[in-house]
Amino acid sequence: IIEGVQNGQLGGEVYELTLANGGLRLEFNPNFDLPDDVRERAEEVMQGIIDGTIDASIDQSGATPPAGDEADEADTETGDGPFRVAAVLPGQANDYGISHGVIDALYEMQEEWGEENFEIALSESMFVVDDASAAIRDYASQGYDVVIAASSAFGSSVEEIAPDFPEVSFIWGTDPITFGLDNVYAFSVNADQGAYVGGVMAAMMSDTIGFVGPIDVGSISRSTDGWAAGAEAANPDVRVLETFTGSFSDVSLATQAANTMIEAGATVIAGQTEMGVGVAGAAEQADGVAFFGNDADFSGFAPESTYASQVFNYGVALRQAIEQVQQGQLGGEVIVLSLENDGIYIAFNPDYPLPDEVRQAGEEAIEGIISGAIDTGLPPLE
């Protein structure tokens, strides 16, 4: 490319790195010898790819493309073949955030319905909105039945792309807006409900508590507000610290924010989305600091500091939307997760139990929110 620029060609050409042109190569570790037959087979495969006798190409869903008659039989527009769902995710399968929850829900449905009937494609770590937008459009152009855009930051992309693909259903969250489009589902979370419960329990255990989130939007805003409301209801004198890192990807920022709160006297801290991993890690390393999770059950990640977690069961919303798509309704509906419909639940860590009176207060708060006897301070999403 640089030599082309030096010769006056400023651009307009795509270069691919391949085994054939030396842009890719396989390095064998001289200190860890492969068995001869394995190395020989690897070299045969490389030569086959170079000379074209082996086709190692894949499409962007990660699946090997069909060949010959099989390609002619794959017709998603007529309903033949599996129901195809693609998800564009801001994080990864192990991030303890929305990506984690969406992936788990999709694989649970696939296990129930069978891989031959339910095909899944994933694009993870789409932190950059422009990259996510390109992936959303690409999946729609490939004829996927459903494209999931799992971030509040992806809303403008869905609003722009969905009208271009009226036969594709788009599911996005976590804001309750369908943009008036008949092929868009939105899912959102009454995240203040479970956070309120956590705030009640936290304020019974400490006079100074903290909450770390990425950006003050959507369900994250509801969580922080609910956490503060619950804490103040349980202890009017409680000191509530809040910090937003401004990032969905930089976990180290969450760890720094949590450590700053701990230095300021917080002995109970909470975190949400991918930031929860950094906060839980800080609690795990500190003496006498407890952690409350949001989004997923953190007891497996930080077993010695996690008392409880507000878990978002995204499968409740995704299953409802996908089943409706299969019945012909492509969108136009908002699905809200709550304590009442089991889209939210509180996971208590059995290995790090709360004091009895604290857990009882938490369970009473759950019952009060479901019955309507407790107002979290925010109008419920509908």
Side-chain angles (χ1 to χ4, degrees):
I1 292 172
I2 291 172
E3 288 177 350
V5 174
Q6 290 172 334
N7 293 326
Q9 181 180 345
L10 299 184
E13 190 169 346
V14 174
Y15 293 91
E16 294 184 354
L17 305 181
T18 68
L19 288 170
N21 65 19
L24 301 178
R25 66 176 183 269
L26 198 65
E27 293 284 354
F28 294 97
N29 183 353
N31 300 314
F32 189 70
D33 291 335
L34 284 165
D36 290 342
D37 57 334
V38 176
R39 179 158 181 161
E40 288 173 6
R41 180 57 181 151
E43 291 172 342
E44 290 172 1
V45 170
M46 283 191 287
Q47 187 57 47
I49 293 171
I50 291 170
D51 62 30
T53 59
I54 293 177
D55 181 7
S57 63
I58 60 172
D59 66 19
Q60 292 196 23
S61 71
T64 303
D69 294 338
E70 186 183 350
D72 297 333
E73 293 172 2
D75 185 354
T76 57
E77 292 186 2
T78 61
D80 296 334
F83 189 86
R84 304 170 72 213
V85 177
V88 178
L89 307 157
Q92 297 177 321
N94 60 349
D95 68 359
Y96 285 83
I98 189 170
S99 303
H100 187 147
V102 168
I103 290 172
D104 282 356
L106 290 177
Y107 279 125
E108 183 177 321
M109 284 183 271
Q110 186 182 64
E111 183 176 358
E112 179 180 341
W113 295 334
E115 291 185 33
E116 70 279 8
N117 300 314
F118 193 76
E119 178 184 318
I120 299 170
L122 305 173
S123 289
E124 301 176 57
S125 299
M126 294 280 105
F127 301 116
V128 179
V129 173
D130 286 346
D131 293 343
S133 182
I136 293 166
R137 183 174 291 278
D138 188 46
Y139 283 128
S141 66
Q142 291 182 50
Y144 276 80
D145 297 286
V146 170
V147 178
I148 300 170
S151 172
S152 296
F154 300 163
S156 58
S157 300
V158 171
E159 184 179 16
E160 175 187 347
I161 295 168
D164 295 339
F165 301 92
E167 301 303 316
V168 176
S169 178
F170 296 82
I171 304 174
W172 87 286
T174 55
D175 287 340
I177 305 167
T178 63
F179 313 109
L181 298 173
D182 292 336
N183 64 331
V184 174
Y185 284 97
F187 64 90
S188 194
V189 188
N190 280 323
D192 53 297
Q193 295 183 345
Y196 183 100
V197 176
V200 167
M201 294 187 289
M204 293 181 66
M205 299 167 60
S206 175
D207 290 332
T208 303
I209 63 176
F211 193 106
V212 180
I215 299 174
D216 191 8
V217 296
S219 63
I220 301 163
S221 298
R222 296 188 74 93
S223 288
T224 52
D225 291 347
W227 172 262
E232 290 165 3
N235 177 6
D237 297 324
V238 69
R239 180 186 177 203
V240 181
L241 308 177
E242 294 179 359
T243 297
F244 298 97
T245 64
S247 171
F248 282 95
S249 59
D250 195 338
V251 175
S252 64
L253 290 176
T255 303
Q256 294 171 21
N259 284 330
T260 298
M261 289 180 175
I262 293 169
E263 291 171 2
T267 55
V268 181
I269 53 178
Q272 188 165 351
T273 70
E274 294 81 353
M275 298 301 98
V277 173
V279 180
E284 197 82 344
Q285 295 298 316
D287 291 331
V289 176
F291 173 74
F292 283 85
N294 285 273
D295 268 322
D297 183 355
F298 278 80
S299 58
F301 178 80
E304 296 182 4
S305 61
T306 301
Y307 273 125
S309 302
Q310 171 180 218
V311 181
F312 300 153
N313 183 6
Y314 294 107
V316 169
L318 296 179
R319 180 182 290 267
Q320 179 180 329
I322 287 170
E323 289 179 347
Q324 290 179 184
V325 173
Q326 291 170 332
Q327 295 164 8
Q329 180 181 336
L330 296 185
E333 187 173 336
V334 175
I335 302 169
V336 179
L337 305 179
S338 66
L339 286 171
E340 185 175 8
N341 66 14
D342 295 325
I344 299 172
Y345 63 91
I346 305 298
F348 295 96
N349 184 357
D351 298 323
Y352 196 59
L354 286 159
D356 290 343
E357 67 276 12
V358 175
R359 176 157 182 164
Q360 182 178 346
E363 291 173 342
E364 290 174 354
I366 294 171
E367 294 174 2
I369 291 170
I370 292 174
S371 69
I374 290 178
D375 181 0
T376 68
L378 294 172
L381 298 171
E382 298 179 357

